[in-house]
Amino acid sequence: NFLGFVDVGEGTSEGIELFLQKKFTSKWHGTFSYSHSISETKDYRTGKSGYFPSDYDRRDGLTIVSGYKINFREFEWYERIKQSSLFPIIAWFPFMISDNLEISFKYRYSGGLPYTSKKYNYLVRKWYVESNQNINESRSNYYSRLDLMILRRFNFKKINITTFLDIQNIFNRDNEWEKIYLEDGTYTMSYQYKQTPIMGIIIEF
């Protein structure tokens, strides 16, 4: 208790979720998920009653994942291109066709997390939270991110080669992580990863 933690507490959560999935069969697959929930914690402080939003109370969450696959080996014109002497060179281009080409994306949205605003005491140069102020009365901005992946597979006699290009956070959006409170009474915002391209190759023997 002297550290500010007690082993008592009471909370409530309720919500609803919708989940739809198109399993991969021939060419495309997809997943749609939406949830809405409310999570609250009981206020045990003296002179207080009711509930306040829990730290993880995002309210709304949306995830959409989909991909489309093309098997170019089914086309005769592709087999003729593959036999050419230039194919081993141009095949390394990120957007070049391949034996199997899959383009997929993932979009995620979630509501902002609640937090308790801090105040600054200029006399002692410290941030603090008043004992009687409302808990988690503020919310950070919502989270939104779109990722795109291009995956190409090549099948040879003895090895299989897979290359991928994954572009995360295509729109380069500033997704808030947390407020960083500075000693001079100001604060700055810490953000999650912005646009990040990732390339790789997988060789299977």
Side-chain angles (χ1 to χ4, degrees), residues 112-162:
L113 287 172
Y115 66 92
T116 305
S117 299
K118 293 184 178 181
K119 298 182 180 181
Y120 186 73
N121 188 326
Y122 286 91
L123 297 177
V124 296
R125 300 179 64 84
K126 286 187 178 181
W127 290 92
Y128 70 99
V129 176
E130 290 184 343
S131 60
N132 62 344
Q133 74 180 80
N134 294 330
I135 300 177
N136 287 345
E137 60 180 347
S138 302
R139 283 186 179 272
S140 59
N141 200 4
Y142 66 90
Y143 175 94
S144 177
R145 169 175 155 177
L146 175 65
D147 301 339
L148 175 68
M149 174 176 282
I150 300 175
L151 191 147
R152 302 181 307 144
R153 298 182 178 91
F154 299 92
N155 304 114
F156 299 98
K157 292 182 179 180
K158 295 184 179 181
I159 63 172
N160 297 325
I161 297 178
T162 301

Side-chain angles (χ1 to χ4, degrees), residues 10-104:
E10 182 179 344
T12 178
S13 296
E14 58 183 5
I16 187 173
E17 181 178 8
L18 173 65
F19 181 84
L20 301 174
Q21 182 179 39
K22 165 66 171 63
K23 294 185 177 181
F24 184 83
T25 53
S26 58
K27 293 184 177 181
W28 72 280
H29 63 89
T31 300
F32 176 90
S33 175
Y34 171 76
S35 62
H36 175 76
S37 62
I38 299 176
S39 300
E40 296 179 321
T41 303
K42 189 173 183 178
D43 197 337
Y44 275 95
R45 294 177 298 173
T46 303
K48 295 287 185 177
S49 62
Y51 291 79
F52 58 84
S54 302
D55 292 343
Y56 48 85
D57 179 44
R58 288 188 177 275
R59 298 296 170 96
D60 294 292
L62 172 67
T63 301
I64 302 175
V65 180
S66 185
Y68 188 83
K69 182 178 180 181
I70 304 175
N71 186 8
F72 284 102
R73 298 192 66 177
E74 298 177 352
F75 305 105
E76 294 183 1
W77 59 266
Y78 173 76
E79 290 297 330
R80 292 195 296 268
I81 294 176
K82 191 174 180 180
Q83 298 303 321
S84 66
S85 58
L86 290 177
F87 186 81
I89 300 175
I90 62 178
W92 295 100
F93 295 171
F95 298 100
M96 184 62 186
I97 57 177
S98 60
D99 293 359
N100 292 286
L101 175 66
E102 183 175 350
I103 301 176
S104 59

Side-chain angles (χ1 to χ4, degrees), residues 55 58 112-118 138-143 174-182 186-193:
D55 292 343
R58 288 188 177 275
L113 287 172
Y115 66 92
T116 305
S117 299
K118 293 184 178 181
S138 302
R139 283 186 179 272
S140 59
N141 200 4
Y142 66 90
Y143 175 94
D174 291 328
N175 287 309
E176 298 178 356
W177 179 253
E178 65 176 342
K179 282 185 175 181
I180 305 298
Y181 295 93
L182 306 177
T186 62
Y187 66 85
T188 184
M189 182 61 67
S190 175
Y191 296 99
Q192 301 188 28
Y193 288 117

